[in-house]
Amino acid sequence: DAGITQSPRYKITETGRQVTLMCHQTWSHSYMFWYRQDLGHGLRLIYYSAAADITDKGEVPDGYVVSRSKTENFPLTLESATRSQTSVYFCASSDERRELGEKLFFGSGTQLSVL
Amino acid sequence: AQSVSQHNHHVILSEAASLELGCNYSYGGTVNLFWYVQYPGQHLQLLLKYFSGDPLVKGIKGFEAEFIKSKFSFNLRKPSVQWSDTAEYFCAVTSGNTGKLIFGQGTTLQVKP
């Protein structure tokens, strides 16, 4: 299916485990983003990527790792999950810098609970 | 560091009241500014944007925003709100040089019929 898809939709894990959230987009957009959404904090940028093999830290990168070996995929890994990482995670993509923000497409989100 | 601050976390209005939501950003260079709305259970939807030119921008659903460069502000306004405007509103900014898109904390607007 065309669009931006995240998997899984829901995930429960335990403290200390490694978890990978997947994000796949079919438009070949250059820019991809990972946000977490928490009550009172809005959307906070974790990492973003301007192209394949180019990633950069956002506002709250600690405890997270990303990779972008292919343009269409942008997985987010929690190396050792903590309870503070319980959140809803959104992946987003956008095509060109001049349209960044104007044409921004979000995935459906992954609700992660760390017990 | 680039950041966005929304002062009002929760606003309650009656229908037909006027709305103004504050947004301030910190970044010294060229910025692009946005307001998004998120209705319950839905994705973010772009309300309006400012890239350059007229600092007063009009968006969808009767919303407008004014970019005041000297105040680093981009406040959202609507003259008369409706019950259907009940949603969460996010201000966002990208800098001219990076691909970093930063959101504010969000403002929950509740409009009472």
Side-chain angles (χ1 to χ4, degrees), chain A residues 18-97:
Chain A
Q18 183 180 81
V19 177
T20 296
L21 309 184
M22 304 301 294
C23 180
H24 174 79
Q25 49 104 354
T26 60
W27 297 299
S28 298
H29 282 171
S30 299
Y31 287 89
M32 295 188 76
F33 306 85
W34 273 108
Y35 292 93
R36 57 178 291 176
Q37 186 171 19
D38 304 285
L39 199 63
H41 293 280
L43 283 160
R44 290 183 290 177
L45 181 64
I46 304 170
Y47 270 95
Y48 69 106
S49 170
D53 297 321
I54 300 175
T55 62
D56 208 347
K57 294 180 180 179
E59 302 169 274
V60 289
D62 293 343
Y64 303 95
V65 174
V66 293
S67 62
R68 187 109 181 261
S69 57
K70 292 183 178 181
T71 299
E72 61 266 29
N73 295 325
F74 192 40
L76 176 74
T77 298
L78 288 67
E79 295 183 295
S80 178
T82 64
R83 289 183 180 176
S84 64
Q85 292 177 309
T86 292
S87 185
V88 181
Y89 291 84
F90 287 98
C91 179
S93 72
S94 190
D95 197 3
E96 299 179 35
R97 184 179 295 173

Side-chain angles (χ1 to χ4, degrees), chain A residues 31 33 35 37 40-43 45 48 57-59 90 97-104 106-109, chain B residues 2-3 9 32 34 36 38 43-44 46 49 51 88 90 94-106:
Chain A
Y31 287 89
F33 306 85
Y35 292 93
Q37 186 171 19
H41 293 280
L43 283 160
L45 181 64
Y48 69 106
K57 294 180 180 179
E59 302 169 274
F90 287 98
R97 184 179 295 173
R98 59 184 170 84
E99 294 182 337
L100 199 61
E102 180 177 11
K103 295 181 182 178
L104 186 66
F106 281 88
S108 299
Chain B
Q2 185 180 331
S3 68
H9 297 297
N32 296 331
F34 308 87
Y36 294 86
Q38 186 176 29
H43 287 179
L44 266 70
L46 182 67
K49 63 184 186 293
F51 285 176
E88 191 155 17
F90 294 93
T94 64
S95 67
N97 298 327
T98 76
K100 190 182 284 190
L101 176 60
I102 302 294
F103 287 83
Q105 306 94 318

Side-chain angles (χ1 to χ4, degrees), chain B residues 55-73:
Chain B
L56 184 62
V57 292
K58 295 190 183 299
I60 61 171
K61 306 187 181 190
F63 287 91
E64 65 179 31
E66 185 175 12
F67 171 54
I68 303 179
K69 189 175 182 179
S70 60
K71 295 185 178 181
F72 296 90
S73 70

Side-chain angles (χ1 to χ4, degrees), chain A residues 3-14:
Chain A
I4 182 167
T5 55
Q6 291 183 235
S7 61
R9 286 297 309 275
Y10 304 93
K11 177 72 177 179
I12 300 174
T13 191
E14 295 177 338

